[in-house]
Amino acid sequence: MIEAVSVPHIVPLDDILPDEPLLMMGAGPVPIPQRVAAANSIVINHLGDTMSKVIEQVKDMGRYVFQTRSSHVMGVGGPGSAAMEMAIANLVHPGDKVLCICNGYFSKRMADMVARVRGEATVIEVPGLESASVELVERELRKTRYDAITLVQGETSNTVCNHSLDRIARAARELGCLVIVDAVCTLSTMPLEMDNWQIDAVITGGQKGLSSIPGVSLLAFSERAWAKKIAVRTDLPFHWCLDAQLADKFWNQKSYHYTAPVSGILALHEALRLVCAETPCPSASIATSTAPKRCRPVSRPWAWNCWWPSSTGSTR
């Protein structure tokens, strides 16, 4: 007979955590406001009228921070990389040709995800910690027909910012490409205008610029991308949890996909509400009026006026 597993000796969290809260100075997670922490301690039913009202407001606030009028704003239970994979798994079909602009670790992760859903990734390595130039990208796009491009707005691993993102996105759109953008470390800290810049998918995590908790992420699909790649899809995507058609049942049809991370969604709601309260303006230039060539974090008065340094430490 196999001996039963005995109860392990466990040290309580009170004896592990420091007496004072850690001041985290990396790219993320970042210290969170008390209202966000309090919301994260609440558990409610993941279906029903209360949750539906929360979800509607999360989508409304999401449209503000993404600067989009798209009806396809949704969350995902998982890190920013889950939102990244959700965008790619739904917009890149097997055999699609994708131009992947790589400035560092996380932009290369997007190229890896393209390959995993059986897309054909062509990688442009931008040298010397430089921003991708419009000319470089446009020259490559004209060599062959691409279905999509992927790029980061800000590369968490080395602080490089693709400050010509708006022009690159518009050039790609003119050549018929879907544009997929990672804004995990830049959304709400740098200007980003999804509709005006003609971006088809923007992904972000909760734990960086939004000052929420890790584990619940947000993304938006353009109406064009949804109609072209998601609404008409008949073959099954590679991921069940990340299937946008199934996620739409919860986020837009008040139905069921999987048990939603309710506490994390409530935390994200409060984080977004605080961002909206800070920035009652029509533009998504939430943190700065001019995007710098390298990501420079910003001061948040409701997050203890900390200055977040451009660290290479990160979580996705």
Side-chain angles (χ1 to χ4, degrees):
M1 184 175 179
I2 299 175
E3 184 178 351
V5 177
S6 59
V7 177
H9 173 69
I10 300 297
V11 177
L13 281 177
D14 288 346
D15 296 335
I16 297 174
L17 298 176
D19 293 334
E20 296 293 331
L22 285 174
L23 177 58
M24 295 174 288
M25 300 294 286
V30 298
I32 60 176
Q34 184 57 43
R35 294 296 299 266
V36 176
N40 190 49
S41 69
I42 301 169
V43 177
I44 63 173
N45 194 331
H46 67 109
L47 299 172
D49 291 343
T50 300
M51 194 61 183
S52 292
K53 185 171 183 178
V54 171
I55 291 299
E56 287 303 313
Q57 294 198 152
V58 167
K59 291 189 298 181
D60 284 344
M61 293 185 289
R63 276 185 275 271
Y64 170 68
V65 296
F66 287 125
Q67 283 295 283
T68 182
R69 287 182 169 80
S70 173
S71 60
H72 304 293
V73 174
M74 57 186 62
V76 58
S81 291
M84 178 190 292
E85 194 157 17
M86 187 173 188
I88 291 171
N90 286 277
L91 296 184
V92 177
H93 295 186
D96 282 359
K97 296 181 182 296
V98 183
L99 182 63
C100 302
I101 302 163
C102 294
N103 308 81
Y105 183 85
F106 291 107
S107 44
K108 290 179 181 177
R109 179 174 291 182
M110 298 178 84
D112 181 34
M113 290 178 179
V114 167
R116 287 171 182 265
V117 297
R118 309 300 184 262
E120 297 179 14
T122 297
V123 174
I124 291 182
E125 295 271 5
V126 182
L129 298 179
E130 293 294 326
S131 173
S133 73
V134 181
E135 295 74 21
L136 172 69
V137 177
E138 195 166 6
R139 186 165 60 246
E140 182 60 39
L141 286 173
R142 292 187 183 281
K143 290 180 180 179
T144 187
R145 187 192 67 80
Y146 286 98
D147 298 285
I149 68 168
T150 66
L151 71 163
V152 299
Q153 182 177 32
E155 176 58 64
T156 312
S157 64
N158 57 26
T159 77
V160 170
C161 172
N162 285 315
H163 59 89
S164 297
L165 170 62
D166 56 338
R167 295 167 60 204
I168 291 172
R170 291 187 185 112
R173 171 68 79 91
E174 287 178 5
L175 293 170
C177 295
L178 295 177
V179 182
I180 304 170
V181 172
D182 169 354
V184 166
C185 72
T186 56
L187 190 74
S188 89
T189 69
M190 297 183 69
L192 186 145
E193 300 180 36
M194 180 176 174
D195 286 356
N196 284 340
W197 296 0
Q198 300 183 32
I199 298 171
D200 292 292
V202 180
I203 65 101
T204 195
Q207 76 276 13
K208 290 186 170 67
L210 297 181
S211 294
S212 187
I213 65 163
V216 178
S217 301
L218 200 62
L219 72 161
F221 295 101
S222 71
E223 298 289 351
R224 179 181 87 126
W226 190 274
K228 184 176 181 179
K229 288 290 189 177
I230 299 172
V232 297
R233 187 165 189 167
T234 56
D235 61 315
L236 292 175
F238 287 94
H239 297 277
W240 186 90
C241 280
L242 304 180
D243 185 334
Q245 286 185 336
L246 296 179
D248 188 67
K249 293 181 182 296
F250 175 75
W251 285 90
N252 287 305
Q253 301 176 41
K254 299 182 180 181
S255 186
Y256 176 67
H257 180 200
Y258 54 73
T259 302
V262 293
S263 302
I265 291 174
L266 295 174
L268 182 61
H269 178 284
E270 280 302 283
L272 288 167
R273 187 185 64 79
L274 290 170
V275 170
C276 291
E278 277 195 327
T279 57
C281 60
S283 170
S285 300
I286 291 174
T288 58
S289 59
T290 303
K293 293 186 178 181
R294 283 176 174 261
C295 300
R296 291 190 305 158
V298 297
S299 163
R300 292 247 172 176
W302 41 263
W304 305 293
N305 283 322
C306 294
W307 182 266
W308 314 131
S310 54
S311 168
T312 56
S314 63
T315 57
R316 288 268 179 147

